[in-house]
Amino acid sequence: MTSFAPDSLVLNRKLPLWYQVSQSLRASILGRPPEASLRLPTEEQLAQHYGVSVLTMRQALKELEEEGLISRHRRRGTFIEPGARRGAPRRLLGSIDAIVAQQSGERTTILDHGPEPVPGELTEYFPDAAEVVVYRRLRCDGDTGEPTNWAENALHPDVAAGLDITDLERWPMTKVLRDSLGVRISRITDTVEARLADPRTAELLRVPLLSPILHYTGVTYDDSGRVVDVARIRYRGDRFSFSVTLDAAD
């Protein structure tokens, strides 16, 4: 393998393998450290790494090439585009790696974090807890520095006890929960709605007060059915699109 080492992936046989691989590799590319090599391993090495066929790997790479994240050169190899960033809306087929990929690739600043009483609107999710640990982060475009969204994550205290705050400067919360804390995520429910920017959102996102924003709520459950995280993210309406494709089963 080259010095760029993609993350590992546990495949879900209910979803297309090429799709899962493309989303996992996409998250690794967008979340890579600055010093990482731009050269990807060969198709054969990547296929072995993910445990898929070379044909499946080729299809996954084609998806990333069409998005502009990588370029492929005959006899030279496959390379990450230096300015790789999110492009068109992506298909969301129910993969946790798709959620991670959607959240990767932005510069993150930790605004504050610490224990707080459970907010009234979240009591239904944390019935056994008097407090949650809240993490607030501002995300900005990696190239322009322009703010794109700000997030509040309310974690169950038992889960937050093992969290390293520096992980949140590099990775989305979903990835930290799964890969750093070992949470066995069973499902995530997503809600997206239109709202008007409140004073704090307007200030952080540099938009006029009461301008349209998109408000995302994501509730993450572990394999026992317990809620471990409730994410509330405010997106600038001019910088975010939400696209879901539902494919009919064969």
Side-chain angles (χ1 to χ4, degrees), residues 37-198:
S37 171
L38 294 178
R39 186 187 183 100
L40 289 181
T42 66
E43 287 182 353
E44 291 77 12
Q45 289 173 320
L46 285 170
Q48 183 177 17
H49 174 76
Y50 286 114
V52 298
S53 69
V54 172
L55 184 61
T56 295
M57 194 66 239
R58 194 167 295 156
Q59 188 173 3
L61 292 172
K62 183 175 182 291
E63 180 85 355
L64 299 181
E65 184 178 27
E66 290 176 352
E67 192 180 335
L69 291 180
I70 63 173
S71 58
R72 310 178 74 187
H73 304 274
R74 188 179 179 87
R75 297 189 182 89
R76 289 180 52 211
T78 302
F79 296 85
I80 299 169
E81 287 296 315
R85 54 187 294 181
R86 274 196 287 272
R90 289 157 303 281
R91 282 165 283 194
L92 186 58
L93 299 182
S95 165
I96 297 299
D97 285 282
I99 301 292
V100 171
Q102 289 280 347
Q103 299 170 350
S104 298
E106 295 173 313
R107 192 175 70 228
T108 300
T109 300
I110 308 297
L111 299 174
D112 59 73
H113 63 94
E116 298 180 10
V118 179
E121 64 271 25
L122 301 186
T123 53
E124 64 177 297
Y125 301 116
F126 301 102
D128 63 338
E131 291 185 330
V132 288
V133 181
V134 178
Y135 300 84
R136 296 183 178 92
R137 293 163 295 148
L138 177 67
R139 297 189 185 111
C140 298
D141 184 281
D143 295 326
T144 67
E146 185 178 42
T148 59
N149 66 84
W150 78 278
E152 288 182 297
N153 288 83
L155 268 63
H156 195 285
D158 292 349
V159 176
L163 191 147
D164 183 343
I165 192 66
T166 60
D167 285 343
L168 289 179
E169 296 175 345
R170 178 182 177 190
W171 297 113
M173 181 64 81
T174 304
K175 180 176 177 61
V176 172
L177 289 172
R178 186 190 64 180
D179 297 346
S180 298
L181 299 180
V183 175
R184 297 176 63 87
I185 297 174
S186 63
R187 62 189 173 100
I188 299 175
T189 62
D190 297 332
T191 303
V192 179
E193 57 186 317
R195 291 193 183 179
L196 301 178
D198 56 46

Side-chain angles (χ1 to χ4, degrees), residues 2-16:
T2 67
S3 58
F4 177 80
D7 293 335
S8 60
L9 172 65
V10 177
L11 294 170
N12 181 342
R13 297 294 168 178
K14 295 181 180 180
L15 296 173

